[in-house]
Amino acid sequence: MTVADLNNAPPAGETIADAAAALMRRGLNVFDRLAEGQPDHAAALADMKLALEAVAEALERGPFGDAIRIERGEVLQDLAPDGTERRNSNAEVAHMLLRDSANLFRNAAAGDPRMRPELTHVAALFEGMANDLELAPGGVLGPELEQLRPYLGAARDISPVPLPVPDMEATRRLFDNPRFAKIAHRVFEIAVGRDLSTVAEQPRLVWARRLAAVWVERHGPMPEPLSADEQSAIAFAVQHPRGPWAMSPIVAGDWRDATPDDAAVLLGMISEICRVGPAKVPLALASYCDRVRTRPLACYGGVLLVEAQGYTTGGQPGLIQAIIHDERIILADGGSTDIHNLNDLVGPQLETPEARRDYFLLFLNWVRDSGGSRFQPIETAAALADRLDGDPAIVETLKDSLTPVMEIVAENPPEWTLDARLCVDTGLWDSIFTLAADGQVEMIDEQVIAEGLPVRREVQEGWLVRLAEPPAVEGDRE
């Protein structure tokens, strides 16, 4: 047995069934080596070897065929018994056999320190192939398989994180999207070995709901068109705003006020995919939005970052933030999940310092800690003054410690390092971050500059970020 013999990666374009069959054959001599050192188990190991040979041959004939029908030993009788009402497919038998072989190798490794490294490695190879065969028995190795993995995992109900499952009507509407329909048909073909068109509508929708959950997580919900009355109400609001902007932009940059016509279009696009409450009120109407401003985001190819001014039911103004991308619209909710989903979908474009700065500012200002405070880079005295509610002398004292976000340059970096002055909760910090090409941001060092500052606290209510109301003063009470 040599690890090199087993380690040959199957080429792109090879079916998973053929790759699994080839791995089984390459692993046959493992059983011979084990039998040499365990004569008492030689018969059982020979039976397992026979099973591997038979299953490899059957897999090459087709992963979805009936289970192996040959003269066989006890191993295959257990995995694919005769006379039962249900017969496992070739792929199912192979999956079980690969898994059981992996467990056998691990147990043998525990009892033989000399062979432990090789056996542990071979066990991992067999288990990985078993997982692939369970996930996509009809799959072909290559980019398509990698793109479909989340959907294949959902189809097998082995997704790492359970997702909210859309209802039947939402799933039916998703089939009107050609891209989703193509994914659903291909996943069914890979996972089940059949044409989804041959399945009646009700079971087809039941099966596809888990795939729909993955689609919504990655692409956002399907738009629900606004009624004529809803469109008119949004258009009227942006033509008659209540007042000027009440807060500075959450993300610094070159912002431009949208015209009423453009504001109505942007709010309509956001509201079609975001509705509030059981009545599904469009977000722009539920939050009384009447102003919109935009700035381009270099980190996503110049698509629009949008801020809308809305109001609480009590009339306090606040901001709703969204990214409008051709692939999906995402709204800021205080977490990073939707940003990472957008990155998985389209990839951040971080080739230039401008793009990296845009992404850094976006990520830190959109993500909030458990207390609701964002991680706001502060580059100027004016930006600090805007966040503080108190003595201007504090800004004067701290202004010399403020600098623009600085990128620390390294030659051919796998990631970039950025230095920023950060306002978090009631403190100002000198913080060092790494930014990876896939958009992962990690703080690696921080040093306090000042604490206990009178920072104007923000509150996020649903999609709306507003300034917290100041605490009541004792003398104001009746």
Side-chain angles (χ1 to χ4, degrees):
M1 174 186 65
T2 66
V3 171
D5 292 339
L6 287 162
N7 236 3
N8 295 329
E14 184 175 18
T15 68
I16 288 179
D18 285 346
L23 179 64
M24 289 176 179
R25 289 199 174 96
R26 292 200 304 273
L28 293 178
N29 63 352
V30 179
F31 294 92
D32 294 333
R33 286 283 302 279
L34 289 176
E36 291 174 6
Q38 303 177 32
D40 292 344
H41 299 287
L45 291 167
D47 193 30
M48 183 68 86
K49 179 180 176 182
L50 172 66
L52 282 170
E53 290 179 304
V55 171
E57 181 181 343
L59 264 184
E60 290 176 332
R61 291 197 300 267
F64 298 107
D66 285 342
I68 302 92
R69 300 185 182 187
I70 60 171
E71 292 297 326
R72 55 204 177 195
E74 293 181 3
V75 171
L76 284 183
Q77 288 289 353
D78 290 338
L79 294 179
D82 287 324
T84 58
E85 185 174 329
R86 181 186 184 278
R87 297 185 63 85
N88 293 317
S89 70
N90 294 334
E92 289 170 323
V93 174
H95 162 256
M96 292 185 283
L97 183 57
L98 285 163
R99 179 203 61 203
D100 290 350
S101 296
N103 290 334
L104 186 154
F105 297 150
R106 286 198 180 91
N107 291 335
D112 189 342
R114 181 178 57 85
M115 293 182 65
R116 182 179 177 185
E118 292 86 354
L119 288 172
T120 300
H121 184 75
V122 173
L125 291 175
F126 269 56
E127 186 168 48
M129 187 60 72
N131 292 338
D132 279 353
L133 200 56
E134 178 187 28
L135 191 70
V140 176
L141 295 167
E144 181 199 46
L145 183 65
E146 298 310 309
Q147 292 168 3
L148 293 179
R149 276 188 185 277
Y151 296 98
L152 289 160
R156 295 292 189 194
D157 203 17
I158 53 176
S159 298
V161 179
L163 300 173
V165 178
D167 59 27
M168 297 283 277
E169 181 55 35
T171 304
R172 180 182 288 106
R173 286 191 289 107
L174 262 181
F175 269 100
D176 293 332
N177 184 315
R179 294 169 64 190
F180 175 79
K182 181 179 179 181
I183 286 173
H185 280 263
R186 183 63 179 136
V187 168
F188 196 76
E189 181 183 12
I190 290 173
V192 183
R194 292 176 53 197
D195 183 348
L196 187 58
S197 301
T198 64
V199 180
E201 182 185 42
Q202 194 74 2
R204 179 169 70 242
L205 293 176
V206 170
W207 176 84
R209 287 178 66 198
R210 291 196 295 267
L211 273 64
V214 176
W215 176 275
V216 170
E217 175 75 5
R218 293 168 65 84
H219 293 263
M222 283 288 289
E224 296 184 43
L226 303 178
S227 69
D229 287 345
E230 290 168 341
Q231 293 175 11
S232 296
I234 291 173
F236 181 85
V238 295
Q239 290 165 0
H240 303 87
R242 299 189 192 187
W245 289 100
M247 293 175 63
S248 298
I250 298 291
V251 179
D254 183 17
W255 289 88
R256 304 290 177 87
D257 281 359
T259 66
D261 287 346
D262 289 344
V265 170
L266 294 170
L267 288 175
M269 295 172 67
I270 293 169
S271 295
E272 283 185 345
I273 61 95
C274 187
R275 293 172 176 264
V276 179
K280 294 188 174 182
V281 179
L283 178 61
L285 299 180
S287 296
Y288 314 101
C289 295
D290 61 9
R291 282 190 178 277
V292 172
R293 58 191 173 200
T294 66
R295 61 155 290 196
L297 279 175
C299 54
Y300 291 115
V303 302
L304 288 182
L305 175 61
V306 175
E307 281 192 349
Q309 180 153 285
Y311 296 84
T312 66
T313 53
Q316 187 172 3
L319 297 176
I320 294 171
Q321 308 151 77
I323 296 173
I324 298 184
H325 195 285
D326 289 344
E327 290 293 333
R328 72 168 295 180
I329 295 172
I330 66 171
L331 286 90
D333 62 359
S336 62
T337 298
D338 280 339
I339 294 178
H340 290 309
N341 286 336
L342 183 61
N343 291 343
D344 291 341
L345 196 61
V346 301
Q349 300 173 21
L350 305 179
E351 292 80 10
T352 67
E354 176 194 9
R356 293 191 286 274
R357 182 177 184 277
D358 265 9
Y359 184 86
F360 186 68
L361 295 179
L362 172 76
F363 190 94
L364 293 184
N365 280 299
W366 271 34
V367 177
R368 295 177 179 269
D369 66 14
S370 58
S373 176
R374 57 183 157 127
F375 300 82
Q376 182 187 6
I378 298 289
E379 300 182 288
T380 65
L384 181 61
D386 185 60
R387 283 310 311 277
L388 299 185
D389 185 12
D391 188 349
I394 297 175
V395 177
E396 185 67 23
T397 301
L398 296 173
K399 69 178 184 180
D400 290 340
S401 64
L402 303 176
T403 65
V405 173
M406 294 184 295
E407 185 173 302
I408 301 171
V409 179
E411 187 176 354
N412 298 320
E415 60 187 13
W416 299 274
T417 305
L418 298 112
D419 185 0
R421 305 300 180 264
L422 219 62
C423 179
V424 185
D425 194 18
T426 61
L428 185 67
W429 304 79
D430 180 2
S431 304
I432 308 295
F433 293 83
T434 58
L435 169 60
D438 64 356
Q440 293 288 341
V441 175
E442 181 181 1
M443 182 186 291
I444 59 174
D445 189 35
E446 61 178 354
Q447 294 183 356
V448 64
I449 296 173
E451 291 184 293
L453 300 175
V455 176
R456 304 168 76 193
R457 192 168 67 88
E458 295 174 344
V459 176
Q460 180 144 10
E461 296 179 349
W463 305 114
L464 189 76
V465 175
R466 63 172 177 83
L467 293 175
E469 296 180 11
V473 179
E474 190 69 27
D476 291 341
R477 298 176 182 170
E478 295 185 5

